[in-house]
Amino acid sequence: MSKAGAITATSALHLLEQYREGTSFFWSSPQHTLLAQGERMRFPVSAVQQQVISDSSGSSGTLDYIDGVHVAGVSSVIDQVKKMIQEAQQSGVRKPIVVGAIPFDPHQSAPELYIPETVQWADPPSPAANGSYEKRPAATGCVIDEVPAAEVYQRSVDHVLKQMEQGELDKVVLSRTLHVTSEHIVNTHQLLRNLFRDNAHGYTFAVPMSKLPERKSIITTDKCNSAEVNKEGNRTFIGASPELLVTRKGTMVKANPLAGSAARSDDPAEDRRRAEALLASAKDRYEHAVVIDAVAAAMRPLCKQLSVPAEPSLIQTNTMWHLSTEIHGELLDEGTSSLEVAFALHPTPAICGTPVQTAREAIGAQEPFDRGLFTGMVGWCDCEGDGEWAVTIRCAEVEGNALKLFAGAGIVAGSTAEAELAETSAKFRTMLLAMGLESPVSRSKEE
């Protein structure tokens, strides 16, 4: 297969060892492993900002959202990516590729997209080879703080459930964060190795983020703990997502939405019981059906044919079981890029809710933080339109000795605040285990 800027490496592990924090984009999927080095051209933040200002300058002063999607922000991102690729081609770059991540709401946060200097490809990771890696801690002496606190999150879930009783919402995904401060600078390369080792069947990624204005170290103190936050150095968005938003090869596209989850158990019998219970759960199957219906409806106008299985299946990660459905289609227009298909699907009810705009409003009212790149998309798109985009979940922002972990849970009729809190705690474990921690989700100091 000929890929943009193709330089074939010996193996996925070889690419992993060439990763350098701050200058490398790393991506592994069931299809490919990709390492992009250097930066030739970065997505200009002003491109979206100017379009949003223009869009909001009318007499009403309101932003143009259709079905919960900020139209100006989306069209500006797609147009700017096309422009970047064209400029790279005109400057002599053979088969340029755009890599990086796009936020949950491009109107609220800037995309982290760029055309790299060099690109190397290798085969997908091998579970056997990945297992040869020794897992070492990436962070030590950690202080963990919940934002929002568990009881606040549960009150938010209860509030949303009341909205559902009144018929305002069918589903909404509410998230929370863990702010982790390590005693020493986080070893981002080791964190990536650990994620890669434990998630061979998913989508492991590391995205270099734009530098923020210089600022002094911040001292954070609460009644339980105090820790010095050192945010000097590089910023990295890193994770291991189990969920494919879309992949495109030629005119063939595939989406793999996940919705409905259960925590894994170390006991094989109990683990199997939980999987079977998830597959039989009316509440989880309804949550999954809401997502599948929305994704299929978004893909149909783009496809000459679409295959949607009638029943979900199960997939597993090291920490979670998920209900899964693979949707396959053939594009009507061969000029529709993977990024355009991804934006047609985003945000799915799996990470936002339905109705989409009402769910967005509920998220804005209940979550005390900007999601940024969390529940956006990460991946790549080449000059021919081929590419892969995963949903940015099971992830964290890393800077210096500070990490911000994200996790969300889908709330539908029949949900309980206690169960949704437990689900977010289980989802945090992907990153916590990769850091070398267990899964404390209250303010605590690693012993």
Side-chain angles (χ1 to χ4, degrees), residues 316-338:
Q316 66 194 68
T317 69
N318 277 10
T319 60
M320 301 293 297
W321 287 103
H322 296 286
L323 294 181
S324 165
T325 296
E326 286 193 3
I327 301 175
H328 295 262
E330 183 178 359
L331 292 172
L332 280 166
D333 183 353
E334 63 181 13
T336 303
S337 72
S338 62

Side-chain angles (χ1 to χ4, degrees), residues 212-292:
L212 293 174
E214 291 186 7
R215 61 206 186 279
K216 295 181 180 179
S217 297
I218 303 169
I219 306 297
T220 61
T221 306
D222 60 53
K223 63 182 180 181
C224 298
N225 295 304
S226 63
E228 182 173 350
V229 180
N230 179 355
K231 290 193 172 182
E232 295 180 358
N234 299 301
R235 299 170 66 222
T236 304
F237 187 66
I238 188 170
S241 175
E243 185 168 4
L244 172 70
L245 182 62
V246 68
T247 182
R248 172 197 185 270
K249 182 180 178 183
T251 58
M252 306 308 295
V253 291
K254 180 178 77 171
N256 188 191
L258 308 181
S261 306
R264 301 287 307 275
S265 171
D266 292 333
D267 176 74
E270 172 62 16
D271 192 48
R272 175 48 54 185
R273 187 200 68 77
R274 292 183 185 183
E276 292 172 351
L278 175 62
L279 194 58
S281 166
K283 176 259 183 188
D284 288 289
R285 290 176 73 94
Y286 169 74
E287 179 184 345
H288 189 78
V290 167
V291 175
I292 299 309

